[in-house]
Amino acid sequence: MRAVLRQNPQALDSPRALQRVALHELADGQLVLQHLASDSQAFGALVDRYQTRLLNFINRTIGDRERAEDLVQEVFIRVFRHLHRFDQTKKFSTWIYTIASNLAKNELRNRSRNPLVLFQTIKKHWEADHRPLQFEDASARPDDLYRKRYLKEAVEQCVGQLPAHHRAVFVLRELEGKSYAEIAEITSCNLGTVKSRLNRARNSFAQMISPLLE
């Protein structure tokens, strides 16, 4: 916290800013308790901590960033409504990822039932020039930046081609770093199923990405 205050000395003049800094140093479980004790800023700290991670997870799962942003908002709405029911003996991260995973699976299920929604999602990617500009690190070598962008795009392309149930475990394990036990809880599958799906996903991913890296 001292480092943050040294970077922003004016924060000393704001008790609310000091409180925000202190809250961000708390563990998830402590923030939950603070929120349940009517601390108005504790939930915001949880949102700050998880919104980008959940956005990346859902976007990789459904392949639609705009829709993923909507689903992240829905995740936090559900968390806010049901946080009083959260089992304090469990990991908050597993609980919130479970909610996100279920919403992503529902989105894919609904999309498969509605060809128009699927068509509209695909059509968005036809107009690639309309994507917002993304600025790179100016200090990096151009060839390094190109390789990083190419590798990122290749990974996302191959992940997007995995079957939905394989993609979910692959993203959770390889891109989010979740343990097998956490993945089993998040996806409501037993460990054997998780390991089987992950093994198949890894094999499929390796077959798809190998030609792109030659």
Side-chain angles (χ1 to χ4, degrees):
M1 179 160 59
R2 291 173 183 167
V4 174
L5 294 178
R6 282 198 298 270
Q7 294 172 3
N8 184 15
Q10 294 180 348
L12 288 169
D13 299 328
S14 172
R16 289 181 64 84
L18 279 171
Q19 184 184 5
R20 283 197 298 271
V21 172
L23 284 172
H24 279 76
E25 294 184 346
L26 296 179
D28 292 347
Q30 293 172 306
L31 287 174
V32 171
L33 292 175
Q34 291 281 88
H35 170 72
L36 296 177
S38 300
D39 185 330
S40 61
Q41 296 193 66
F43 190 79
L46 287 171
V47 173
D48 291 343
R49 184 170 296 175
Y50 281 97
Q51 61 182 353
T52 300
R53 292 155 63 180
L54 293 178
L55 176 60
N56 290 336
F57 166 60
I58 295 176
N59 181 40
R60 287 163 174 160
T61 302
I62 69 173
D64 183 341
R65 188 175 181 85
E66 289 184 14
R67 183 59 182 145
E69 291 173 352
D70 293 337
L71 292 179
V72 169
Q73 294 300 315
E74 180 62 25
V75 169
F76 286 116
I77 289 172
R78 295 191 180 195
V79 170
F80 187 85
R81 288 175 178 170
H82 302 294
L83 198 52
H84 63 285
R85 300 179 185 173
F86 171 62
D87 183 352
Q88 297 286 339
T89 65
K90 302 292 182 67
K91 289 183 65 173
F92 177 80
S93 61
T94 301
W95 184 61
I96 196 170
Y97 266 91
T98 301
I99 295 172
S101 178
N102 288 337
L103 287 173
K105 284 191 289 187
N106 288 340
E107 173 69 16
L108 291 173
R109 188 180 302 116
N110 292 337
R111 186 181 299 174
S112 67
R113 293 172 180 169
N114 189 340
L116 177 60
V117 173
L118 178 59
F119 174 77
Q120 290 172 338
T121 300
I122 295 173
K123 189 176 179 181
K124 285 182 183 178
H125 301 286
W126 290 353
E127 301 174 351
D129 292 338
H130 292 178
R131 290 178 299 178
L133 292 173
Q134 296 184 5
F135 298 96
E136 302 286 355
D137 181 2
S139 63
R141 292 170 51 187
D143 54 340
D144 289 338
L145 290 175
Y146 173 79
R147 281 195 293 269
K148 288 180 181 179
R149 286 199 299 269
Y150 178 82
L151 179 59
K152 180 176 182 293
E153 290 171 359
V155 168
E156 291 179 350
Q157 174 186 333
C158 293
V159 170
Q161 294 178 47
L162 293 171
H165 55 293
H166 289 172
R167 188 190 315 152
V169 296
F170 185 89
V171 169
L172 286 168
R173 179 64 178 173
E174 305 299 341
L175 303 182
E176 300 292 333
K178 297 299 181 184
S179 69
Y180 290 118
E182 288 177 306
I183 296 171
E185 187 170 349
I186 290 169
T187 60
S188 300
C189 296
N190 59 49
L191 281 175
T193 300
V194 168
K195 292 178 180 180
S196 174
R197 289 181 178 179
L198 182 59
N199 184 57
R200 293 179 182 178
R202 284 170 171 166
N203 289 337
S204 298
F205 178 81
Q207 291 175 4
M208 288 187 288
I209 203 167
S210 292
L212 302 178
L213 301 180
E214 292 177 353

